[in-house]
């Protein structure tokens, strides 16, 4: 009986260790590049963050406009948005389209949005917008701080020519039509 138990345990450990070695080898490069992007935003180095965005995306939103949007979001004195955490979910195996690699990565951001300097009407609008975008269960209001805690479940498309350095496009359903100019249809179908 002990031998059967040991064989079963060995087989189970072999299956588990094999499953872990089957991890996408590109995961670490994608995670490293995306973490650099998020940390750039967190450190309010917006130009550095914009350099991490896929260049073709700037045919949809010009680079200077994207810089302004990120500055208004993360350097806004009326609504201070702070990135408190980043976790990765599933990262798909890269697919090749026109000589570039594309991989969809799921990630989770923990955000804190301080709205204490806003009037009540603006706070209600922000609350409504956050709950609409992230879901009621993912937004918590901390009345004592005048802040919202947000658990944002998001997707990005990582794009690379060499599978070492990755650029990104944030994937959101509401912007899918605009992304047709930037991403292959097979990637768009996954949004």
């Amino acid at each position: 009986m002990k031998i059967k138990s040991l064989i079963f345990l060995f087989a189970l450990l072999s299956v588990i260790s094999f499953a872990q070695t089957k991890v996408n080898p590109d995961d670490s490069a994608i995670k490293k590049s995306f973490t650099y992007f998020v940390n750039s935003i967190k450190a309010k180095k917006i130009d550095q963050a914009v350099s991490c965005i896929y260049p073709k995306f700037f045919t949809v939103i010009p680079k200077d406009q994207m810089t302004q949007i990120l500055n208004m979001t993360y350097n806004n004195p009326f609504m201070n948005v702070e990135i408190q955490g980043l976790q990765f979910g599933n990262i798909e195996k890269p697919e090749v389209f026109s000589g570039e690699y594309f991989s969809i990565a799921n990630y989770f951001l923990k955000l804190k949005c301080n709205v204490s300097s806003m009037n009540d009407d603006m706070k209600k609008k922000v609350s409504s917008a956050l709950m609409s975008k992230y879901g009621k269960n993912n937004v918590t209001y901390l009345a004592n701080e005048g802040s919202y805690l947000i658990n944002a479940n998001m997707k990005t498309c990582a794009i690379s020519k060499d599978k070492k350095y990755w650029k990104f496009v944030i994937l959101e359903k509401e912007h899918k039509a605009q992304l047709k100019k930037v991403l292959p249809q097979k990637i768009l179908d996954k949004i």
Side-chain angles (χ1 to χ4, degrees):
M1 187 67 177
K2 284 184 180 181
I3 292 176
K4 286 182 182 181
S5 296
L6 285 172
I7 291 173
F8 175 75
L9 183 62
F10 178 73
L12 182 65
L13 289 173
S14 297
V15 169
I16 290 170
S17 64
F18 177 74
Q20 289 178 345
T21 60
K22 232 180 151 181
V23 170
N24 176 1
D26 303 304
D27 281 8
S28 62
I30 291 170
K31 286 178 180 179
K32 181 179 179 182
S33 293
F34 194 72
T35 300
Y36 177 80
F37 171 64
V38 170
N39 284 339
S40 297
I41 292 172
K42 194 174 181 178
K44 310 230 187 276
K45 296 178 180 177
I46 301 303
D47 290 333
Q48 188 173 295
V50 170
S51 73
C52 299
I53 297 172
Y54 184 49
K56 286 183 185 175
F57 182 74
F58 300 125
T59 62
V60 175
I61 297 177
K63 192 173 190 175
D64 61 332
Q65 189 178 347
M66 189 71 227
T67 302
Q68 284 179 335
I69 291 168
L70 287 173
N71 267 316
M72 285 174 51
T73 304
Y74 294 99
N75 286 328
N76 187 332
F78 298 106
M79 184 175 76
N80 182 21
V81 178
E82 177 188 331
I83 297 172
Q84 294 191 322
L86 167 67
Q87 288 185 317
F88 289 94
N90 182 48
I91 298 175
E92 294 183 4
K93 184 178 179 189
E95 297 179 65
V96 180
F97 300 98
S98 303
E100 293 182 302
Y101 297 93
F102 292 79
S103 174
I104 292 180
N106 294 283
Y107 66 98
F108 307 91
L109 283 180
K110 186 171 187 173
L111 303 168
K112 188 174 190 179
C113 181
N114 186 320
V115 294
S116 61
S117 64
M118 292 183 174
N119 65 36
D120 288 342
D121 187 46
M122 285 302 294
K123 286 179 185 177
K124 286 178 186 175
K125 288 179 182 177
V126 168
S127 175
S128 177
L130 291 174
M131 289 191 190
S132 173
K133 183 168 180 68
Y134 300 110
K136 192 175 182 177
N137 294 335
N138 292 316
V139 178
T140 306
Y141 184 64
L142 305 173
N144 60 331
E145 294 181 26
S147 296
Y148 289 94
L149 282 181
I150 305 152
N151 292 312
N153 182 357
M154 303 178 74
K155 287 184 181 186
T156 189
C157 183
I159 303 110
S160 178
K161 291 182 188 262
D162 61 7
K163 295 172 93 178
K164 291 179 186 171
Y165 303 102
W166 295 83
K167 301 286 183 175
F168 301 93
V169 174
I170 304 302
L171 302 177
E172 295 178 320
K173 288 180 185 177
E174 57 267 23
H175 300 295
K176 191 173 180 178
Q178 295 169 316
L179 295 176
K180 285 184 180 184
K181 298 176 185 177
V182 180
L183 300 173
Q185 187 61 46
K186 192 171 180 184
I187 298 297
L188 291 170
D189 291 343
K190 297 178 182 183
I191 298 177

